[in-house]
Amino acid sequence: MTAAERYRVPFARRGSIVGQADLAALASVVHSAEPLSAGVWRERFEQRFREVTGARHALTVTSGTVALELAVRLLDLKPGDEVIATPQTFQATVQPLLDHDVTVRFCDVDPDTLNMDPQVLESLITDRTKAVLLVHYGGLPADMAAVLARARRAGVVVVEDCAHALGASYRGVSPGALGDIGCFSFHSTKNITTLGEGGMITLNRADWAERVERLRGNEVDGVFAPVPGFADDEPALLPWMRFSADVYRRRAVGIRGAGTNATMSEAAAAVGLVQLDSLERFTERRRWIAARLDAAVSAFPGTRLQRTPEGSTHAYHLYTFFVTAGREVREHFVRGLDRRGVEVQLRYFPLHLLPEWRLRGHGPGECPQAERVWFDEHLNLPCHPGLSDEQVDHLVESVTAALHEATALAGTGRPLAVR
């Protein structure tokens, strides 16, 4: 039995809705004589993404994970460098750092937002710090003014993991256009999708954009210089052949690494373009569901809502709240929702406690707020535009009933009622 069959209100397997407009775009791609890779649809999607986010440069890639891998490549990390990262995110945010001989310092989170705490960040910056990797948790923008102020003083690059945050804003600016590098995911569960997988990397530097263009296109990531005595206007020896005279015009000064094939297909880009035009509608639906959940949850004194600071708008990739009445109440509540057909998942286990990071010397006590909140309070509820009005009604009714039941039964030792 699948989760969709078991649960009346399942957690998101699809974070957006694929409809007739998406199918029409696919048909247009398939029936045209244009290439199915690196063509006009990719160019249109990237241009539209720059318009929506305000980013100077936006380049499609095959996944959000690949976007993060390329972002780390741009940092040109060397042994002894330090990178500060959030522990409250999906493992892909920091996993590329395992390939580098660098020190990772996990920065604790603000317990009300689950975003990186700027005060803790300041205490972790040293003269070896090269970059900060943060996430806009659940679609709630991090405190970027405070983060950037600290990073700029130290000359540190800020990488935004925007996988949750498309549709959000911070002081009128979209995530991905706030820091130095932004990484977006179009996975099936995200706020828009490009047929299940896909990603985008946004940048504010033209030289970085040029490097990503080469990297994703299977070209060497190197430093090149013109060959002395070779006239720029000299005609190509073989104009019909790839490289042609350009191979003689340049010489390699240094090689950073090999490129890869991270080219988004034309079919995926076409769907992404349609999805992007539906983003506002999808986001408004998420906010409407979140508002109904906020009203239900806040009626109980043993709970706390995720705080949205003034000047920020939440994209609600995840709906998060906290049960402050204790682990027992949270356990009763989750079991009560499960019996009522509402699926609950927790996002995410603190990364510094994973085996691969414990091997690197991390462990319990390093990020006390992230640990306390995750183990004692944290909860995520279904919140995605694919939910019908009837499912949302059932979700809200179930949350109210399960919280009432959990609060009443906590500490009594009596078995949970079955309904």
Side-chain angles (χ1 to χ4, degrees):
M1 180 183 296
T2 67
E5 293 170 331
R6 178 183 174 190
Y7 291 104
R8 184 172 172 182
V9 185
F11 218 77
R13 267 62 180 177
R14 292 191 180 186
S16 64
I17 299 169
V18 178
Q20 289 301 315
D22 304 89
L23 297 177
L26 279 174
S28 178
V29 171
V30 172
H31 293 147
S32 76
E34 297 295 324
L36 296 177
S37 177
V40 295
W41 285 101
R42 184 178 74 168
E43 294 175 4
R44 292 170 186 167
F45 184 31
E46 291 173 349
Q47 175 60 36
R48 182 73 180 125
F49 202 86
R50 289 192 291 272
E51 293 169 357
V52 169
T53 62
R56 294 181 186 174
H57 306 277
L59 294 99
T60 53
V61 289
T62 46
S63 71
T65 297
V66 169
L68 288 158
E69 290 171 352
L70 295 181
V72 170
R73 291 276 296 272
L74 294 175
L75 299 176
D76 296 326
L77 297 172
K78 298 177 176 59
D81 286 342
E82 297 179 358
V83 178
I84 300 172
T86 177
Q88 184 50 256
T89 183
F90 183 54
Q91 63 200 48
T93 305
V94 299
Q95 197 159 252
L97 296 172
L98 289 170
D99 289 333
H100 298 268
D101 183 17
V102 297
T103 297
V104 175
R105 296 178 177 271
F106 284 101
C107 178
D108 209 353
V109 299
D110 180 326
D112 291 326
T113 66
L114 299 185
N115 283 322
M116 183 177 283
D117 187 329
Q119 296 294 332
V120 179
L121 169 64
E122 186 163 33
S123 71
L124 296 176
I125 294 176
T126 73
D127 57 3
R128 292 180 177 270
T129 305
K130 194 69 177 290
V132 172
L133 267 64
L134 58 82
V135 70
H136 302 293
Y137 177 82
L140 176 62
D143 186 353
M144 291 300 292
V147 169
L148 288 169
R150 289 158 174 79
R152 295 294 181 252
R153 285 199 298 267
V156 170
V157 174
V158 176
V159 180
E160 305 172 68
D161 183 340
C162 307
H164 302 172
L166 189 58
S169 68
Y170 176 84
R171 300 184 181 180
V173 180
S174 169
L178 292 160
D180 299 297
I181 306 173
C183 301
F184 292 82
S185 170
F186 308 132
H187 181 268
S188 178
T189 61
K190 297 305 190 293
N191 293 25
I192 68 168
T193 188
T194 50
L195 297 178
E197 294 287 356
M200 188 81 74
I201 183 166
T202 56
L203 310 120
N204 64 4
R205 282 175 44 175
D207 60 325
W208 278 350
E210 183 182 348
R211 284 181 65 185
V212 172
E213 186 77 67
R214 291 201 304 268
L215 281 166
R216 71 172 180 177
N218 248 330
E219 295 190 33
V220 171
D221 180 22
V223 179
F224 298 92
V227 174
F230 201 104
D232 288 341
D233 59 352
E234 187 165 336
L237 300 177
L238 299 170
W240 47 267
M241 192 173 190
R242 188 177 182 189
F243 299 122
S244 191
D246 188 56
V247 72
Y248 303 108
R249 287 194 178 102
R250 298 187 307 161
R251 62 187 178 89
V253 178
I255 303 300
R256 302 184 188 95
T260 186
N261 182 3
T263 305
M264 176 179 284
S265 74
E266 286 294 272
V271 169
L273 184 59
V274 175
Q275 289 268 303
L276 196 54
D277 285 339
S278 301
L279 174 63
E280 185 175 353
R281 174 167 56 90
F282 294 156
T283 305
E284 285 306 311
R285 180 69 177 178
R286 287 176 179 274
R287 288 178 180 144
W288 177 76
I289 296 170
R292 293 199 59 188
L293 288 171
D294 278 352
V297 169
S298 60
F300 291 83
T303 63
R304 185 176 80 254
L305 300 177
Q306 186 186 25
R307 179 176 57 85
T308 302
E310 186 177 353
S312 292
T313 60
H314 202 315
Y316 288 105
H317 169 67
L318 297 173
Y319 178 84
T320 306
F321 79 100
F322 310 98
V323 175
T324 57
R327 287 190 189 184
E328 186 182 17
V329 173
R330 184 177 71 163
E331 182 71 13
H332 284 335
F333 174 65
V334 171
R335 292 183 182 277
L337 286 180
D338 195 75
R339 290 196 316 275
R340 292 172 172 86
V342 175
E343 184 179 14
V344 176
Q345 296 185 6
L346 295 187
R347 299 283 195 274
Y348 298 92
F349 187 85
L351 293 186
H352 65 291
L353 302 180
L354 293 178
E356 58 267 31
W357 291 106
R358 296 203 309 271
L359 180 64
R360 288 277 190 109
H362 301 276
E366 186 173 349
C367 297
Q369 294 290 0
E371 295 167 33
R372 178 186 63 80
V373 170
W374 198 89
F375 287 108
D376 293 348
E377 300 180 350
H378 188 149
L379 274 172
N380 300 117
L381 297 175
C383 183
H384 53 94
L387 294 177
S388 67
D389 288 356
E390 181 183 8
Q391 285 176 307
V392 175
D393 288 342
H394 181 73
L395 171 62
V396 172
E397 292 165 4
S398 297
V399 166
T400 300
L403 275 173
H404 179 79
E405 181 182 75
T407 303
L409 290 173
T412 67
R414 293 189 287 120
L416 296 176
V418 178
R419 294 175 59 181

